[in-house]
Amino acid sequence: MSYPWFKKRGYRHFDAAVGEAYAHKICDPTVVAKHSWLPLIHYVKTVKRYKPKTASDGKTRLKGETVTKPRDIMFASHRDSCILAKYAFELGELLDKHYVQTGLEKTVIAYRKLGRANYHFSADAYRYATDNMPCVVLCFDITGFFDNLDHKILKNRLKQLLGVSELPVDWYAVFRYVTKFSRVKRSALEANTVFAERMKIRSHEPVATIAELHKAGIAIHQNNKKLGIPQGTPISSALSNLYMMEVDRLMLEATKKFGGLYQRYSDDILIICKPDAEAELGSALEAAVAAHKLEIKDEKTERALFEAGREDAFQYLGFNASQAGATIRPSSLARQWRKAKRGIRAAKRAGDKAIASGRATKVFTKKLRKRFQPVGARNFSKYARRAADAFGSKKIVRQVLKFERMVDQAIRKIEV
């Protein structure tokens, strides 16, 4: 029997990989209730974001800046991930039913299978703004979203969605794990000679046992706060949508009253409204977020006024949009170019090694072209071209053509 939520995971952890036999086993709630959970492995991921700037006159375009945003990522062991994936699937189905019942099915757009990509939602927002001028586009960012989710509120939302007064024993075990989680720093494992060597080897065996961690003196950190869930587990995204369930309902009602648009993608919130509704809707959002013990910082809020004679731009889901058209965010293009250069260098090293050993007579680049040129089935180039179609943007077409030329030139250099 196959399960839609089960998938094999290839990374090393504190247990071995599991198969569908284990997935079948955890369909018994008593097994989950008695499960012994393992620590998460934690690392910090740095995300770069480009922030465009427009002068106060609305006409002068200023050079933007690239800012970095650190994210704490934690991934669970194989058995733990299998359990979390099952409960994330069930939670997602319950949330989808709730969204349909409350009219939120087109409002919450992150972590759901809607058959649409980011560029569709961004293009929809862009068209809404241009079709409803004059209007204000407001982009809000919740500070430290996953780190500040209140456990009591999260538990109440879960009971509300499940329709119970107390959590069933299996759901309580899952809830307790994601709120009272423990973690081991990946950097501590990498600093240990034995564990570092194991992590380099392709294997299904555990990278270390808990007894070995204790013997090596590697700390296991416990979350003793009443706030925060780990970002990066199979259930993290579904829990974030669950937490914001009431905020979404309140804000949809408020924006509908003014004939505006409200959308939320994880911790990124978009409101498009008439200028005279801006203050009230901004206050309503701040109040709803504060009631959930979260915070929106004014300096992170982006505001663009769409009206005749102005050139304000807003940044949403990887795209910059203004009345003059839409473009892919510069940081997204820069990230893809860095990936391409790394891939090309790796192919050159592998090719030179094969030539030196007599196994090849040239550097093969077919796989590179599939990864970074429009000949590939799924890659950035194809994504960008679909985005250009969604926006009807010639600017995006020019951006992707320039990117493809740069990649082609770099590949031709190693083919010589």
Side-chain angles (χ1 to χ4, degrees):
M1 182 178 180
S2 60
Y3 301 93
W5 42 266
F6 174 78
K7 72 173 184 178
K8 292 184 178 180
R9 303 169 194 275
Y11 54 72
R12 303 290 299 277
H13 214 287
F14 302 131
D15 65 350
V18 297
E20 289 200 8
Y22 186 76
H24 179 72
K25 181 180 178 181
I26 62 170
C27 288
D28 181 352
T30 59
V31 172
V32 177
K34 296 176 181 178
H35 177 68
S36 297
W37 303 86
L38 290 170
L40 299 149
I41 295 180
H42 163 246
Y43 68 96
V44 178
K45 180 180 180 180
T46 302
V47 180
K48 291 185 178 182
R49 287 190 173 184
Y50 179 80
K51 295 188 69 175
K53 292 183 178 180
T54 303
S56 58
D57 61 7
K59 296 180 180 180
T60 307
R61 301 300 295 275
L62 304 177
K63 186 178 180 180
E65 61 177 340
T66 300
V67 296
T68 57
K69 185 176 182 179
R71 289 188 182 276
D72 289 297
I73 305 298
M74 306 181 208
F75 57 103
S77 69
H78 295 280
R79 286 177 171 78
D80 296 353
S81 289
C82 189
I83 293 172
L84 295 179
K86 174 184 182 295
Y87 284 81
F89 180 80
E90 293 177 7
L91 184 57
E93 289 197 319
L94 289 172
L95 281 169
D96 282 340
K97 289 178 182 177
H98 168 77
Y99 293 147
V100 171
Q101 292 168 356
T102 55
L104 286 163
E105 66 268 27
K106 294 182 180 179
T107 295
V108 182
I109 58 176
Y111 316 128
R112 299 174 61 210
K113 293 182 179 179
L114 299 174
R116 307 187 81 208
N118 283 6
Y119 50 77
H120 289 123
F121 300 114
S122 188
D124 288 347
Y126 167 65
R127 277 191 289 271
Y128 186 93
T130 55
D131 291 345
N132 289 274
M133 294 195 300
C135 66
V136 178
V137 183
L138 301 166
C139 299
F140 303 90
D141 182 276
I142 298 176
T143 303
F145 184 51
F146 284 89
D147 294 336
N148 290 292
L149 300 187
D150 182 88
H151 295 167
K152 185 176 180 180
I153 294 174
L154 183 62
K155 188 177 183 180
N156 287 336
R157 292 284 174 267
L158 182 55
K159 289 192 290 186
Q160 178 186 347
L161 192 66
L162 294 174
V164 297
S165 57
E166 291 297 333
L167 292 179
V169 289
D170 54 331
W171 273 104
Y172 179 75
V174 172
F175 173 79
R176 183 172 175 79
Y177 172 67
V178 295
T179 53
K180 301 297 181 185
F181 59 89
S182 59
R183 59 186 174 87
V184 170
K185 292 182 179 180
R186 188 173 69 180
S187 58
L189 296 173
E190 292 169 340
N192 181 282
T193 306
V194 175
F195 302 152
E197 284 301 313
R198 289 180 187 175
M199 292 172 76
K200 294 177 184 177
I201 301 170
R202 285 183 174 272
S203 171
H204 295 297
E205 294 302 311
V207 71
T209 64
I210 300 302
E212 286 177 319
L213 293 179
H214 289 312
K215 186 176 180 181
I218 292 178
I220 299 177
H221 305 274
Q222 186 81 31
N223 181 42
N224 294 316
K225 298 184 294 183
K226 295 180 179 180
L227 301 171
I229 64 169
Q231 184 175 359
T233 77
I235 203 171
S236 301
S237 54
L239 288 175
S240 70
N241 278 344
L242 172 71
Y243 192 87
M244 295 294 285
M245 195 166 67
E246 186 65 11
V247 174
D248 294 329
R249 185 187 67 80
L250 291 170
M251 290 312 303
L252 180 62
E253 288 180 1
T255 49
K256 271 187 174 181
K257 186 173 71 173
F258 290 101
L261 175 71
Y262 168 78
Q263 280 187 351
R264 182 178 62 80
Y265 189 99
S266 189
D267 55 352
D268 292 325
I269 294 172
L270 174 82
I271 293 176
I272 304 178
C273 62
K274 293 298 181 183
D276 58 3
E278 177 183 356
E280 186 168 337
L281 289 177
S283 296
L285 178 62
E286 285 186 14
V289 168
H292 284 70
K293 300 186 179 181
L294 296 171
E295 182 184 6
I296 292 174
K297 288 190 176 179
D298 291 340
E299 61 266 26
K300 289 189 175 183
T301 300
E302 294 184 15
R303 179 185 186 274
L305 177 59
F306 270 51
E307 67 176 10
R310 292 186 68 94
E311 297 180 12
D312 286 20
F314 69 92
Q315 178 178 282
Y316 187 50
L317 303 182
F319 299 90
N320 293 334
S322 70
Q323 292 181 60
T327 58
I328 298 171
R329 198 169 58 191
S331 60
S332 298
L333 289 166
R335 182 168 61 251
Q336 291 300 322
W337 176 234
R338 288 195 296 272
K339 284 183 180 179
K341 287 195 294 185
R342 285 197 299 269
I344 291 167
R345 285 197 297 267
K348 179 71 164 59
R349 286 195 299 270
D352 289 345
K353 188 175 180 180
I355 292 169
S357 64
R359 291 181 289 110
T361 57
K362 65 176 183 177
V363 178
F364 293 99
T365 59
K366 186 176 179 180
K367 289 184 178 179
L368 275 177
R369 292 190 180 280
K370 281 188 175 182
R371 282 183 64 191
F372 301 110
Q373 296 278 278
V375 293
R378 290 175 64 88
N379 58 23
F380 174 74
S381 185
K382 284 287 187 69
Y383 172 86
R385 287 167 180 267
R386 290 193 296 268
D389 290 340
F391 278 97
S393 172
K394 292 182 179 179
K395 290 185 176 182
I396 294 178
V397 173
R398 288 195 290 271
Q399 284 180 305
V400 69
L401 287 174
K402 181 180 178 181
F403 170 78
E404 289 167 0
R405 283 196 299 272
M406 290 168 62
V407 171
D408 180 64
Q409 289 170 3
I411 292 175
R412 286 179 183 276
K413 287 181 180 179
I414 68 169
E415 289 176 329
V416 175

